[in-house]
Amino acid sequence: MTSDTAPRPPASPEDRPPDARRNNSVPGRKTRPAYSRRRRIWFGWGQTGSAEKTVFGLFLHDVPYVFLEVFGLSLPASYYILNTVFDGGFGATGAAFVAWVTMTIVATLIHMGLIRPLATETLGWVSITPFLVGVRLVYYNLVLLVAAYASVALATLVAYPPISLVIAALVGCVAMMAFPRLAEAVARRRTR
């Protein structure tokens, strides 16, 4: 065997370019989807595989996953908000809807690795563990209630109802940008 065909040892993480590093050892974080364009696909009849996807294909693949997570775990707050008095498009119901859609889109972009969460260098979304599902349940419901009612209160204070939708979108965006760091800190504390 010549030196040209000799097997090479796998490159260390430091030798790989920064976008190829996968820090799967970060507690509470699922980083693999953020660093890869490959996703598992299902052909039906029990046949699965994986495929390389475009950015748009990644978005279409990842948004149902994040949608089910955000919507499913925020059902208690959604139920409460929807059972309050419907006060038009700029009330609590409209603000909650805008916040919920914003939360889903921002979390999907973080899951894909297109945007970096606040206060962390780790790309990717939060992993699914029983404890972090409980954290999500509390966090998502709290964010949705704050986005719905605080935005309407601020819009009433400035006497301009449409601003409630902008405030709700900002609350949802900032909350989802901060959540991965919070989950990472909680998971680190829990593993000690």
Side-chain angles (χ1 to χ4, degrees), residues 48-125:
T48 61
S50 67
E52 187 89 13
K53 299 204 176 216
T54 64
V55 173
F56 184 67
L58 288 175
F59 183 80
L60 291 178
H61 186 273
D62 291 351
V63 81
Y65 167 82
V66 176
F67 166 80
L68 286 172
E69 176 186 320
V70 172
F71 182 69
L73 293 174
S74 64
L75 276 175
S78 300
Y79 181 76
Y80 180 78
I81 293 166
L82 290 175
N83 282 324
T84 59
V85 176
F86 181 74
D87 44 5
F90 301 121
T93 307
F97 180 75
V98 168
W100 168 67
V101 169
T102 304
M103 290 167 64
T104 302
I105 291 171
V106 170
T108 301
L109 295 175
I110 293 171
H111 186 268
M112 292 170 54
L114 292 180
I115 57 177
R116 186 176 304 279
L118 297 175
T120 183
E121 291 298 316
T122 306
L123 289 177
W125 192 236

Side-chain angles (χ1 to χ4, degrees), residues 4-192:
D4 292 337
T5 60
R8 304 176 104 191
S12 68
E14 293 79 26
D15 295 337
R16 289 187 241 155
D19 59 332
R21 292 185 194 140
R22 291 185 181 147
N23 190 359
N24 289 326
S25 64
V26 178
R29 298 293 294 279
K30 184 172 76 169
T31 59
R32 177 165 279 143
Y35 289 100
S36 172
R37 287 187 169 213
R38 295 196 70 76
R39 296 293 191 266
R40 294 195 67 193
I41 55 176
W42 181 66
F43 295 111
W45 299 100
Q47 296 177 349
T48 61
S50 67
E52 187 89 13
K53 299 204 176 216
T54 64
V55 173
F56 184 67
L58 288 175
F59 183 80
L60 291 178
H61 186 273
D62 291 351
V63 81
Y65 167 82
V66 176
F67 166 80
L68 286 172
E69 176 186 320
V70 172
F71 182 69
L73 293 174
S74 64
L75 276 175
S78 300
Y79 181 76
Y80 180 78
I81 293 166
L82 290 175
N83 282 324
T84 59
V85 176
F86 181 74
D87 44 5
F90 301 121
T93 307
F97 180 75
V98 168
W100 168 67
V101 169
T102 304
M103 290 167 64
T104 302
I105 291 171
V106 170
T108 301
L109 295 175
I110 293 171
H111 186 268
M112 292 170 54
L114 292 180
I115 57 177
R116 186 176 304 279
L118 297 175
T120 183
E121 291 298 316
T122 306
L123 289 177
W125 192 236
V126 179
S127 61
I128 300 287
T129 64
F131 184 74
L132 288 177
V133 168
V135 171
R136 282 178 169 96
L137 183 68
V138 173
Y139 189 81
Y140 293 167
N141 285 288
L142 184 65
V143 167
L144 205 56
L145 288 170
V146 167
Y149 293 111
S151 64
V152 172
L154 287 172
T156 304
L157 188 67
V158 297
Y160 187 66
I163 200 75
S164 67
L165 303 181
V166 174
I167 295 169
L170 284 173
V171 168
C173 181
V174 170
M176 294 314 263
M177 292 287 289
F179 183 64
R181 177 65 184 136
L182 171 73
E184 188 178 320
V186 167
R188 282 186 197 278
R189 181 169 297 222
R190 198 159 153 77
T191 57
R192 286 185 192 177

